[in-house]
Amino acid sequence: MSVEPGGGRHLLSLPEVSTVTTLRQRNRALVLKQVILAQETTRAAIAKESGLSTASAGNLVAELIAAGLVEERGSVSSRGGRPITLIGPRAESAITIGADIGERGVAVEMFDLAMNRIDREFRGGAQEEDPERIAADIHEALVALRDRNAARWPTLLGIGLGLPGLVETGPGDRQTLYAQSLGWPPVPVRSLCDAGGIPVLAENGAKMQARAELWFGSARGADHALVALLGRGVGLGVVTGGEVAYGSHSSAGEWGHMVIERGGRVCRCGNRGCVEAYLGSDAILSAWRDTGAVFEGTGWRAVGELIAAAHRGDPAASAIVEDVIDCLGAALGGMVNLTGPERIVIGGWVGLRLMESLGDRITTAIRNHSLSRPGGQFELLVARFGGDAVATGSALLPLEALIAADPMSERGPR
């Protein structure tokens, strides 16, 4: 703080002005995130949760209302006082897009600012595709969404991609996908999605499921959690300190390629004994087929038939399911010892199938394969988001970018 000679008037120096401005931007971003997470809240609740004064919270809410990002939604009665005004995100002010990208196709979904899904488009799905075909799927899906939502398209914040592999960010914010399990060479993200100037952000799909569950699902409010994705591939989001862990090069959480049996089954990544070689859908169904079982498909219905056959007492199916439960228990039990989670969330379409009727047995298996103390300190939950989990988490990437920047830097009053 500098003092003007003789006048006693306090003036902020330029560095202090910058610091105060940055602090205000950060607080404004904090308030916007609180409003989106809560969906409906009050100025008093914002002040309490953020640690801001009531006056500061009120001023920041007013700025966000003026920017068209937040709105007042009527009021509720208070205890003997004036009615309390409810605050929520102004859903129609912006849209964001999230895409679940797999080796067999894409699911692209559009959300409003309140994270309500307003449209979706699928492409592919019948067979494995190469990066060029996946890029064409993404382009076709985006064109279809744009054509159906032309009036809202100018409010698009950006496009988030949940990808089947490691996503590294290099100089100039250029991102590259490393999908070793699929046999792909390193793929520049821009070659998968060139959106003509619209921001495109990408991350690993399992981390995006974890992000969705952390914001709005079964991991919400948890400081430490494991969010497993079981499908054709196997992944994990590790939540620590209330945030998804990324590691030094965004490779943290590659649990599907943690070795649980030395010299074991060959994995798609080229190694042996990986978690995915035992818990990926292809591995599970191949093991069942090797017993002489006959069934249709390689997806949701086939895994359901396996579990149903085990429930009927079929010895081969029962042995396969028992092995799956034990492998899952061993793989997650090791992670319990390593990370000490308060919650374990299981999602992905294979995970959802297993959790329909086998949750208690899975809990027991995890506890049997972990130390008794941390093994008794977690709660096992099914993911709240089903097939939409990765797309939902990916759609949060542009939203988080808006929040991380000054949410009003490019938005005047609407």
Side-chain angles (χ1 to χ4, degrees):
M1 189 76 69
S2 63
V3 180
E4 185 172 299
R9 182 182 173 189
H10 295 273
L11 299 174
L12 289 173
S13 64
L14 287 178
E16 289 170 321
V17 169
S18 176
T19 300
V20 169
T21 301
T22 302
L23 179 61
R24 188 166 191 82
Q25 291 172 352
R26 186 162 57 244
N27 287 340
R28 194 157 47 209
L30 173 64
V31 169
L32 178 60
K33 184 173 182 178
Q34 281 184 235
V35 173
I36 293 172
L37 283 170
Q39 294 293 299
E40 205 164 72
T41 186
T42 65
R43 289 172 173 83
I46 290 170
K48 181 178 180 180
E49 292 175 19
S50 64
L52 298 168
S53 69
T54 302
S56 293
N59 290 336
L60 293 169
V61 167
E63 291 175 9
L64 292 169
I65 289 174
L69 296 168
V70 167
E71 65 183 2
E72 294 184 337
R73 296 181 175 176
S75 60
V76 292
S77 60
S78 62
R79 295 182 179 179
R82 295 167 54 186
I84 300 172
T85 302
L86 296 173
I87 306 297
R90 185 167 171 259
E92 67 273 17
S93 66
I95 58 173
T96 180
I97 287 177
D100 182 355
I101 312 299
E103 64 265 41
R104 295 193 174 196
V106 306
V108 184
E109 304 190 8
M110 179 183 292
F111 300 81
D112 61 26
L113 190 65
M115 288 305 295
N116 302 304
R117 191 182 69 226
I118 54 180
D119 203 353
R120 70 199 312 186
E121 188 72 23
F122 298 97
R123 286 293 188 278
Q127 59 189 11
E128 291 189 9
E129 300 181 348
D130 60 24
E132 290 73 22
R133 183 60 246 174
I134 292 294
D137 287 342
I138 296 170
H139 175 74
E140 292 168 10
L142 289 172
V143 169
L145 290 173
R146 183 195 63 195
D147 290 347
R148 289 200 300 268
N149 300 275
R152 302 190 73 167
W153 201 257
T155 70
L156 178 60
L157 298 174
I159 299 165
L161 307 178
L163 299 175
L166 305 177
V167 180
E168 287 190 10
T169 302
D173 292 332
R174 291 178 178 166
Q175 294 188 296
T176 303
L177 168 66
Y178 295 88
Q180 181 175 328
S181 294
L182 305 185
W184 292 358
V187 180
V189 169
R190 289 181 183 177
S191 71
L192 291 175
C193 184
D194 183 356
I198 296 170
V200 176
L201 304 165
E203 231 332 315
N204 170 263
K207 289 187 179 71
M208 294 300 90
Q209 175 186 260
R211 178 65 72 201
E213 293 295 328
L214 186 59
W215 274 57
F216 299 115
S218 297
R220 181 166 179 166
D223 286 328
H224 303 281
L226 300 173
V227 184
L229 187 153
L230 304 176
R232 284 191 168 81
V234 173
L236 187 74
V238 179
V239 176
T240 181
E243 298 289 341
V244 178
Y246 285 86
S248 61
H249 294 90
S250 199
S251 62
E254 278 297 316
W255 169 70
H257 300 288
M258 182 178 73
V259 174
I260 57 172
E261 183 175 352
R262 294 168 57 197
R265 295 179 188 172
V266 176
C267 180
R268 295 191 301 171
C269 74
N271 203 351
R272 285 183 173 272
C274 296
V275 171
E276 187 173 300
Y278 297 87
L279 296 179
S281 64
D282 290 346
I284 294 170
L285 294 173
S286 291
W288 192 28
R289 188 177 290 108
D290 289 345
T291 69
V294 178
F295 53 90
E296 292 185 7
T298 59
W300 176 265
R301 181 178 297 178
V303 172
E305 287 181 21
L306 168 64
I307 296 171
H311 285 322
R312 291 195 301 269
D314 179 276
S318 296
I320 297 296
V321 169
E322 185 61 38
D323 187 60
V324 167
I325 292 171
D326 191 57
C327 285
L328 182 56
L332 286 175
M335 293 302 298
V336 167
N337 289 342
L338 186 66
T339 66
E342 60 197 277
R343 291 183 214 163
I344 298 175
V345 180
I346 295 183
W349 62 270
V350 171
L352 295 175
R353 267 303 198 195
L354 295 174
M355 289 293 287
E356 285 178 340
S357 59
L358 301 170
D360 289 344
R361 292 172 63 185
I362 292 169
T363 300
T364 299
I366 298 171
R367 298 198 198 287
N368 288 341
H369 286 286
S370 59
L371 292 170
S372 58
R373 184 60 176 165
Q377 294 174 321
F378 72 84
E379 178 184 14
L380 182 68
L381 300 170
V382 66
R384 175 180 171 186
F385 294 96
D388 297 322
V390 174
T392 301
S394 300
L396 290 172
L397 288 174
L399 188 55
E400 286 189 315
L402 169 71
I403 291 170
D406 179 10
M408 294 173 58
S409 61
E410 297 181 2
R411 301 180 66 90
R414 305 278 173 179

